Amino acid sequence: MSTTAQDSIVAREAAALMPTYRRREVEFVSGTGPWLVDAAGRRYLDGLSGLSVTALGHAHPEVADAIARQARTLVHTSNLFYTRPQVELAERLAATLGWADARTFLCNSGAEACEGALKLARRHGKAQHLDKVRVVALDGGFHGRTLAALALTGNPAKHAPFEPLGGWITHVPHDDAGALAGAVDERTCAVVIEVVQGEAGVRPVPPDVVAAARAAADRVGALLVVDEVQTGLGRLGAWYGWQQTGVRPDVVTLAKALANGLPAGAVVARGAAAAALGPGDHATTFGGGPVVCAAALTVLEVLERDGLVERARALGARLGDLLEGLVGSAPHAAGVRGRGLLQALELDAPVAGAVTDACLAAGLVVNDVAPDAVRLAPPLIIDEAAVSELVARLGAALSAVDA
Ligand SMILES: *Cc1c(COP(=O)(O)O)cnc(C)c1O
């Protein structure tokens, strides 16, 4: 960064905010569709959508209108009363899941959705017997940063500074169906998995592990919770990642793309799990607020009306093919993983940070999800030409890093 104005935001941020984020020195000021504009007026292709959040792109006119209309009508009432957007959103979520008996709890983030799922699972477990409170989750799984969501997250380095975290969660390797089955016993109230582990580096969980999670949960009367905070709502080329696995969970957690950038989360449960939480068991001041629900309703309507889920599947296949084309032709490109519009380019060395910087210099936003992998999660409204442009810029960045 060069201009005085940009230098000053770096200094002001450092003085005013807790230094919890390692930010790249770019200040974005606006965006349209898959494009972002920085304070110097440079345009960037958004290959990341926040972090799998702005699936409809930036400044989507219908989402903006829905937000503005609801903001001028009613912003907040508390959950002591009924509001229509909340009910309509829950009905629509149930329809996208294909669960006639679904019940939803609306909250404000992915971590909060995972916390809600844990509370629900405890309540469901303790109704069977009082020590049915333990949880089995996967190494590399990411479920958020609040204390219980952090405990659920399978990353020892992130745990260490905040221990003790309770010891009621067991983590097993993400690719070992036998270990998962062995860790689940009568004291287990939930098995929690992602179908593609986003933060672990866009790492698909093998189908036999997903199947083992379902079987183990059924064996002991535990709930299968699939965390779809990053993978849900079309990102993988299906409405939900679990729909590509042949396994149906009892509970899903949602957030990131739900309101295209406004804070929204949801816990959706079916069957007995849908009745596990009762009056007074759980609550949130802002969850299910009319503005966020109006935005989320519009997101679901547009995803469906514009066929964006099928589009994510088709464009994801194209993205995968083009990325495979980099392997062998561009420096450091070593492999491709993921599906739909959530993919990672594997690198042959820990140069993902340098590649991410080079991408920014080439006008492309990506993220170094691992030292040797770059994550791509472009908006679902992207077109074929922009997918080609994305991969061309990534290729140029790889060459620049090698130069
Ligand atoms: C991002 C993420 C979360 C946490 O969401 P926040 O809104 O940051 O709390 C939880 N689970 C998964 C799978 C995620 O990708």
Side-chain angles (χ1 to χ4, degrees):
M1 249 195 236
S2 50
T3 71
T4 313
Q6 284 168 323
D7 288 341
S8 94
I9 199 167
V10 173
R12 286 169 61 190
E13 193 267 2
L17 285 136
M18 295 186 193
T20 58
Y21 300 106
R22 267 182 227 99
R23 302 182 201 268
R24 286 196 151 72
E25 291 193 7
V26 178
E27 180 193 355
F28 288 121
V29 294
S30 66
T32 320
W35 295 95
L36 281 162
V37 179
D38 76 8
R42 278 195 73 210
R43 274 158 56 88
Y44 300 74
L45 183 55
D46 187 355
L48 201 57
S49 312
L51 278 171
S52 187
V53 170
T54 49
L56 301 191
H58 300 283
H60 192 282
E62 286 162 272
V63 177
D65 284 348
I67 292 169
R69 210 179 311 117
Q70 188 60 48
R72 283 192 300 263
T73 306
L74 183 67
V75 172
H76 183 83
T77 65
S78 85
N79 279 308
L80 299 176
F81 305 100
Y82 293 90
T83 52
R84 194 155 294 253
Q86 181 174 130
V87 177
E88 289 179 352
L89 175 58
E91 289 172 349
R92 194 143 197 143
L93 279 174
T96 65
L97 282 152
W99 295 353
D101 62 347
R103 297 280 183 282
T104 291
F105 178 83
L106 292 166
C107 55
N108 310 283
S109 71
E112 205 186 333
C114 292
E115 296 272 342
L118 290 174
K119 282 184 72 178
L120 184 158
R122 274 219 173 173
R123 205 77 173 76
H124 180 264
K126 291 181 81 166
Q128 295 171 60
H129 52 91
L130 285 179
D131 60 352
K132 197 170 183 63
V133 298
R134 301 183 59 87
V135 172
V136 175
L138 301 182
D139 284 343
F142 182 82
H143 305 288
R145 304 295 199 128
T146 58
L147 276 175
L150 177 63
L152 191 60
T153 290
N155 183 338
K158 293 218 181 329
H159 285 184
F162 300 103
E163 276 163 353
L165 291 172
W168 47 283
I169 299 175
T170 305
H171 290 95
V172 297
H174 83 287
D175 56 357
D176 188 339
L180 189 149
V184 172
D185 65 21
E186 290 298 329
R187 295 168 306 162
T188 306
C189 69
V191 180
V192 182
I193 63 170
E194 295 157 90
V195 293
V196 174
Q197 296 185 312
E199 298 308 302
V202 188
R203 192 167 70 173
V205 171
D208 66 319
V209 173
V210 178
R214 179 70 275 175
D218 286 342
R219 170 166 56 79
V220 302
L223 299 177
L224 175 62
V225 179
V226 175
D227 183 347
E228 296 260 11
V229 165
Q230 186 157 163
T231 51
L233 304 171
R235 173 65 48 197
L236 297 185
W239 272 95
Y240 300 98
W242 64 263
Q243 293 169 330
Q244 299 169 322
T245 68
V247 157
R248 195 165 61 136
D250 303 295
V251 180
V252 295
T253 53
L254 301 174
K256 292 199 163 89
L258 184 52
N260 209 48
L262 293 192
V267 188
V268 192
R270 64 175 180 88
L277 290 174
D281 281 339
H282 201 40
T284 162
T285 295
F286 296 118
V291 175
V292 167
C293 288
L297 264 170
T298 306
V299 167
L300 298 182
E301 272 164 26
V302 172
L303 284 174
E304 194 166 324
R305 182 199 67 199
D306 294 354
L308 295 182
V309 179
E310 298 71 38
R311 189 188 175 98
R313 184 160 57 234
L315 289 180
R318 181 175 173 80
L319 175 64
D321 287 347
L322 292 174
L323 290 173
E324 291 287 358
L326 291 179
V327 178
S329 73
H332 298 302
V336 182
R337 59 186 186 235
R339 54 183 188 256
L341 289 176
L342 181 61
Q343 302 203 27
L345 182 69
E346 300 167 348
L347 306 171
D348 64 3
V351 294
V355 171
T356 300
D357 288 335
C359 284
L360 280 175
L364 172 65
V365 179
V366 299
N367 128 278
D368 46 335
V369 67
D372 60 354
V374 169
R375 170 169 41 190
L376 302 167
L380 274 49
I381 48 97
I382 198 169
D383 62 16
E384 283 204 13
V387 168
S388 303
E389 183 64 28
L390 186 163
V391 177
R393 291 184 187 202
L394 178 57
L398 290 164
S399 299
V401 164
D402 207 39

